[in-house]
Amino acid sequence: MSTPFTPPTRAYVEHVAVRVRDIHWHIQFFYEVLGMDVREIDGPTDDPRQYWTLGGLQLMATPDFEAPPSNDAGWLAHLGVMVDDLEAALKAAEPWGVKALPQGRNWLQLPDGLAVELIQAAPGSVAAALAVQPRG
């Protein structure tokens, strides 16, 4: 009989870094649609090179970045984002010019081609996750 495997440590993804052509558009979208506020900024606040959100997103300003508008090509397939209120998030996303993807109405494609899957979270779970102070 073999001994059960015990991992040496436990881990979670603290953030995902995404290259974007228009960092200002993405900052506003993720704040106004999903409430992802600033955690840290690299560079001037009015023209950041990088922008980290509470909730684990790092936006990297790359004005000449080109990627096919697809969620099955490129360096990142999609972002899965837990939301307190899926219907409210979808409604807030409408005026941003995002497109629904074939996977379902909760799958959105942003203008730069990044795909975002919005997932309805269990009550209270988003607040609990955001209460974690990973660098505190």
Side-chain angles (χ1 to χ4, degrees):
M1 181 177 282
S2 64
T3 306
F5 176 75
T6 302
T9 189
R10 296 187 61 189
Y12 69 95
V13 175
E14 191 268 336
H15 71 272
V16 174
V18 181
R19 289 181 182 89
V20 297
R21 284 189 303 230
D22 184 345
I23 196 167
H24 299 287
W25 187 96
H26 286 80
I27 289 168
Q28 288 302 116
F29 176 83
F30 283 100
Y31 178 72
E32 292 183 19
V33 174
L34 301 173
M36 296 176 104
D37 208 350
V38 63
R39 184 187 84 197
E40 183 179 342
I41 295 175
D42 172 33
T45 56
D46 62 339
D47 194 23
R49 289 181 293 275
Q50 297 184 85
Y51 183 96
W52 289 262
T53 71
L54 295 172
L57 189 60
Q58 175 186 355
L59 302 171
M60 301 169 64
T62 316
D64 58 349
F65 179 70
E66 292 292 331
S70 168
N71 69 321
D72 59 0
W75 292 44
L76 181 66
H78 71 276
L79 293 177
V81 179
M82 301 300 288
V83 297
D84 278 333
D85 186 335
L86 178 61
E87 294 306 317
L90 291 172
K91 184 175 174 81
E94 287 175 7
W96 287 86
V98 299
K99 297 188 308 187
L101 289 168
Q103 294 88 329
R105 65 189 196 91
N106 63 311
W107 284 75
L108 306 175
Q109 186 174 69
L110 307 188
D112 279 0
L114 178 63
V116 178
E117 177 188 10
L118 301 179
I119 305 162
Q120 178 64 57
S125 63
V126 172
L130 292 174
V132 172
Q133 299 295 318
R135 297 183 185 188

